[in-house]
Amino acid sequence: MKYVGLILLLWIGGVLPSWAQTEVKSGKTLDFSEATFDITVESGGTLKQSSLSANYGTVNDTVTISGTGVNGVGALYSTCNTSYGIQAKVEVKDSATVGINAGGGRLRFFGEVTGGILTTSATGTGGIPLVNFGVTSKANLTQLNIAKGVTTFTGTNATGVQTHTFTNGVTVANGATLELFEAEKGITFVKNDTGDLATVTFSGGVLKNSSTSNFTADLNIASDSTYENAYGKLTLQGGSISGAGTFKVTGDLDFSGTTLAEATINQTNGTFNLANINVSENSTLSGNINSFTGTNTLATGKTLTFQNANSTISGQLTGEGGLIVNGGTVTLSSANTYTGETVVQGGKLIFGKSIVGTTEQTSMTSKITVNSGGILQFSTTNAFGTRNGCYVPDIELNGGTLHGLANLYANIGNITLNNGATVTSENNNGSYYFYSAINASGNASISAPQIAVRQYYNSNTPNEDHGKITVDQDGVLTISSNVFLEGNATTGGIFKFGKGTLDISGRVTGDGVLTVNEGTVALSNVNTYSGATTVESGAELKLTGTINNSALTVRGGGTLLGTGSAKSLELQKGASLVLDLESAAKGSILSVTGAITLDETLISFEAYEDYMSLFGKNVTLLSGDSLTAALENLTFDFSNIGGNIWIPQLTGNALVLSMDTAAVPEPASWLLLLGLLFLGISQRKRVRR
């Protein structure tokens, strides 16, 4: 009976004799050195590691744990720092917590760790307390929760890839760290026997790399989390990165074959390399990306955003998704085929592939939008489109800039220029070829050395929007470039629409036409294009330069003004000619080298402050090699020149004003005199523009 009493006493104390299994009861704490395998730690009990001089147990031994231990310290608990650990198999019954509370304390697993939900919690000062899965360990758990401190997976002297199974994944809480240590052979987290990758969820936690490591898992960034690098480079081979939080990369990192799904990755230091990325949901990259290679797919309707990022994408972007650049500089140097929209919110996007004489193109994007502060740059010859007119997307500059460098040859389709948008080029040989419509609102400018308005686009049939330039009311589109018009005497060229102004200060050449359908066109250079110039009803042409090779026709309701010259001039019935007396006084007049035809035309005069200096002079207002006009078919508007007599007359082939100082009637008397002079012709007051 005395032995029975001893056994009972030992059982009450929480330990059985060596020939029996050790059970640690709730509320009891037992040191490893006092226990005998197999060991069971009941919920509320703690098996404590205070010192180890060798690995504890064998692969045939078992420690079964559950609960959070005495006072929540953990079912397994360490207060010592040792290089030895638990060799025995650790089974987690339902759920259990393991803990450390010691400076530099260690709790090491060298055998299998299996079962339900395991939570690790390591705290302490004077060192880095950690829970360590050694190279010989193998985890097969429902879930691993890293609640506090550092939990490491070590690959020291590993002979192959370590595979750990977490059916419901791994969580890394705020203030906790998942560390990969000397894992050159690779560490993989899976969730089942089929090899599907387990998800590691970071909620403000840290992924730390202490070597050149290969790691495969799905990373879910639930809130701000960090990747830290101590020595080498972490390679995420496959797997995915997802979540609404920001993954802050502070060390060297490679992503290869990885899926980005609502991921935000911020590179702040070290190297960052991407290859063969699949963007399955909207994702964001920021910082410096050292290389971006391989074939990278953008899923339909999804976008990859570069936020204050710098990267050269030498790989190919494919798929039906889009690209956003917001700060930094991103260069596309491959023949990309993605078809989603491209948006430059800020920073610079460079199309940099040189592809002369090929059918390749820098991008197949369906539309490119450049907002204020953003720059879209074509950097090399034929950097966009081909000489044969391959697919060219629409471009919309909402205050942004399209900029060209180095012998540029860029094909442009429909382009919209809004609110301060600019098209520029730094090279004297730079050229933009516009195959379709140009639409402008507000003030915008094109200042490249040369642009061409092409008649054909990828066929021998003119595009229906070819040469159509629309400037909205109150807007001004300024073109200081030399402009080449592709076409012939009647088709191909510029067709101006909209109530705004198209101001071309560059030289216009080529065989195309210039038709002002609406609003105003201003020409101020020596222009040599040979196609017809036509001003339609309600539109106006302000000519201060020359169009010496073009026949100029102003239809009824149209207006011609300025001090330039034309090859020939026809003012049809109801057309208006506005002449500037100030320019006439200085010897600058509107002149025509060929025939002038006037048909019931309104001739009106711009006021001149110093008109008294014209008294006693004959001023030629219009001259040409022939003048066809019946004086009684002309209407002269002098309403802006009050108190002076102006007597128009024909002299040879010129229309002349004779200024007589002998009589200076009041404006009303002059209008009566004018009405008597030209019987049957009514005075028409000019509407100033």
Side-chain angles (χ1 to χ4, degrees), residues 243-314:
T246 300
F247 191 36
K248 299 177 180 179
V249 181
T250 59
D252 295 346
L253 189 62
D254 278 348
F255 288 164
S256 177
T258 303
T259 296
L260 303 182
E262 296 184 2
T264 300
I265 303 171
N266 180 19
Q267 168 70 13
T268 58
N269 192 18
T271 62
F272 184 15
N273 304 306
L274 299 171
N276 303 312
I277 300 302
N278 175 42
V279 180
S280 64
E281 298 291 341
N282 299 336
S283 297
T284 300
L285 304 174
S286 60
N288 295 319
I289 302 171
N290 299 84
S291 68
F292 204 137
T293 60
T295 300
N296 305 276
T297 304
L298 308 177
T300 303
K302 308 305 178 182
T303 58
L304 178 61
T305 298
F306 288 83
Q307 182 73 35
N308 297 318
N310 298 299
S311 177
T312 295
I313 305 177
S314 58

Side-chain angles (χ1 to χ4, degrees), residues 3 25 52 59 71 84 115 147 155 217 233 288 300 332 370 382 392 422 443 446 488 501 522 543 568 581 600 604 655:
Y3 294 108
K25 297 294 185 179
L52 284 178
V59 294
N71 298 322
Y84 299 103
K233 179 179 292 183
N288 295 319
T300 303
L332 301 180
V370 185
N382 203 27
V392 179
T422 58
N443 296 327
I446 300 175
N488 53 48
T501 297
L543 182 62
S568 65
L581 291 178
E600 297 189 26
S604 59
L655 185 63

